[in-house]
Amino acid sequence: MDFELTDEERAFQEAVRKFGDRFLRTRERQIDTEGRIPDDVLAEMARLGLLAMPVSTEYGGMGASAVLTELAAEEIGRGDFSMATAVFFLLEAGWGFILDRHGTEDAKREVLPAVCAGKAFLGIATTEPSGGSDLANMRTRSQRYGDGFSLRGEKSFVSGVEEAKRLGGGHLTLTRAEEGGFNFLYVPTKSPGASTQKFQNMGRMGISTGAISYDGVRVPRSYLVGAEGKGFGCAMEGFSVARTFVSAACIGAAERALETGMAYIKERQVFGQPLGKFEGIQFELVDLWVQVEAVKWQCRRAAWLLDRYTLRGDHSHRAEVDRAVASVKLTAPPIAFEAVKRVMMWFGAAGYTKDVGLELGMRGVMSYLVGAEGGLNIMRIILGRELLGKEFLANQ
Ligand SMILES: Cc1cc2nc3c(=O)[nH]c(=O)nc-3n(C[C@H](O)[C@H](O)[C@H](O)COP(=O)(O)OP(=O)(O)OC[C@H]3O[C@@H](n4cnc5c(N)ncnc54)[C@H](O)[C@@H]3O)c2cc1C
């Protein structure tokens, strides 16, 4: 067991923190109000190798480990408190990895270099208007058509619909296959027959969320991810990877909130002394810090397990990986939200202003409490199944 980061990992972490300080902290309000991540920020991310980090070097990525990507996600969550940049980052990392692992050579050559260069967006489309948790009940269908597939249906609450239209690119889309099972298909957002609608979110405004309708959208067979009818497993593998990076981004946001709070309670004078000298505040700080520290190591372990098994295509420890990922996705967002909320209260009335900016983090982290990358109860369902066994639950 070794908890030490390597020199390379530490140097990379520092480089990403510098990027976050220079490009994200200074621009997060602009990202939130303008509703997009500026092109120069994406260009710098591409230059640093931050876009779709785990993608192999052959396709323009840096072939990064999950641990290195997790470290970067923390720093990006700390840098852009609104979480918009973190969402962009982690979608490309998680789903870029899946396309690299399970996509065809043609699709990889066409899509991944552009994604890694910041010239195309890659996201995930599984949720439908009828629900996102019960994926097995989805209605969007793909049927064989010529040497490819034709899609009909609708996806909902999909991140990056506008970015995929503006930059190019699309979403890995889970569909019910005509012959049974699920087809996982890369669908360019600008495909004929595809139309989008943007939703008005309350947070992480720098990345859009919306619906995509498919009215006989045709995609070539080369856009199939994984084997025909077997796409569900590929999507679940992607969720394991992406949920780990979501959790890391939440941890970065929590650390930023605590740093902001600590600086303030050392300065703010109440009843003749700094706020931080009162044990009522100190104890809150300590309780939050301990929780953030615990979930950070839980997250690093999840990333370590991904490196050891999932990223090598080894599914022999799937239950262990699922438990670790579901645990961290269950705990990191609520802890981050609580940290932001408590620090906001230390600021008193000032915490309620946009000048202090804690509301950016609160609105952003909330997306992971309501459901993005899987609701909290879904993590509980995964863990309950792992702890009690599918057989026991099926026989109840
Ligand atoms: C900002 C944002 C971005 C998103 N981006 C994407 C994206 O890029 N691609 C995509 O496909 N989806 C995306 N989603 C959708 C997300 O995946 C879904 O919100 C999530 O899967 C939950 O689905 P739902 O919202 O339909 O809630 P429902 O499935 O209707 O569930 C409602 C609530 O009930 C809980 N619940 C569900 N089943 C049970 C049960 N059996 N027992 C107890 N509780 C239960 C859920 O946890 C949730 O809290 C995004 C969501 C948000 C908020």
Side-chain angles (χ1 to χ4, degrees), residues 91 95 98 123-141 153-159 161 171-176 182-185 187 210-212 214 231-239 243 371-375:
L91 285 172
W95 301 104
I98 290 296
I124 172 72
T126 56
T127 307
E128 300 194 348
S130 57
S133 304
D134 188 5
L135 283 181
N137 259 330
M138 71 173 47
R139 294 172 191 168
T140 300
R141 291 181 180 274
E154 187 179 356
K155 296 290 177 186
S156 205
F157 300 105
V158 174
S159 298
V161 286
H171 295 80
L172 302 189
T173 307
L174 196 59
T175 63
R176 191 170 283 287
F182 292 85
N183 290 332
F184 202 26
L185 295 156
V187 183
I212 311 178
Y214 312 91
F232 200 80
C234 297
M236 292 306 115
E237 190 180 327
F239 279 122
R243 282 171 184 161
E373 302 289 339

Side-chain angles (χ1 to χ4, degrees), residues 72-237:
E74 274 181 33
E75 294 308 325
I76 292 171
R78 179 202 296 271
D80 173 5
F81 208 30
S82 81
M83 306 296 280
T85 312
V87 174
F88 194 102
F89 168 88
L90 69 91
L91 285 172
E92 305 218 328
W95 301 104
F97 163 72
I98 290 296
L99 186 59
D100 188 348
R101 171 151 312 272
H102 298 287
T104 65
E105 191 58 30
D106 282 354
K108 293 198 270 195
R109 295 224 171 272
E110 180 191 327
V111 180
L112 292 175
V115 169
C116 295
K119 298 197 181 331
F121 176 83
L122 182 65
I124 172 72
T126 56
T127 307
E128 300 194 348
S130 57
S133 304
D134 188 5
L135 283 181
N137 259 330
M138 71 173 47
R139 294 172 191 168
T140 300
R141 291 181 180 274
S142 54
Q143 56 184 158
R144 287 186 192 159
Y145 190 96
D147 189 29
F149 300 91
S150 170
L151 271 72
R152 281 193 191 278
E154 187 179 356
K155 296 290 177 186
S156 205
F157 300 105
V158 174
S159 298
V161 286
E162 293 293 314
E163 287 71 11
K165 281 201 302 191
R166 179 165 58 84
L167 297 169
H171 295 80
L172 302 189
T173 307
L174 196 59
T175 63
R176 191 170 283 287
E178 193 184 10
E179 283 76 22
F182 292 85
N183 290 332
F184 202 26
L185 295 156
Y186 168 68
V187 183
T189 310
K190 287 195 270 194
S191 302
S195 54
T196 63
Q197 182 202 341
K198 189 182 171 189
F199 295 162
Q200 292 302 319
N201 281 343
M202 61 171 262
R204 63 187 226 192
M205 310 304 277
I207 183 161
S208 62
T209 304
I212 311 178
S213 298
Y214 312 91
D215 184 8
V217 172
R218 290 191 208 156
V219 295
R221 177 162 281 274
S222 61
Y223 286 172
L224 191 61
V225 179
E228 189 173 352
K230 305 272 182 215
F232 200 80
C234 297
M236 292 306 115
E237 190 180 327

Side-chain angles (χ1 to χ4, degrees), residues 59-78:
Y59 304 111
M62 60 187 284
S65 66
V67 167
L68 199 67
T69 314
E70 190 268 351
L71 292 171
E74 274 181 33
E75 294 308 325
I76 292 171
R78 179 202 296 271

Side-chain angles (χ1 to χ4, degrees), residues 31 35-39 41-42 45 80 84-85 88 163 166 206-207:
I31 290 172
R36 62 182 274 181
I37 303 167
D39 290 342
V41 173
L42 288 182
M45 288 176 81
D80 173 5
T85 312
F88 194 102
E163 287 71 11
R166 179 165 58 84
I207 183 161

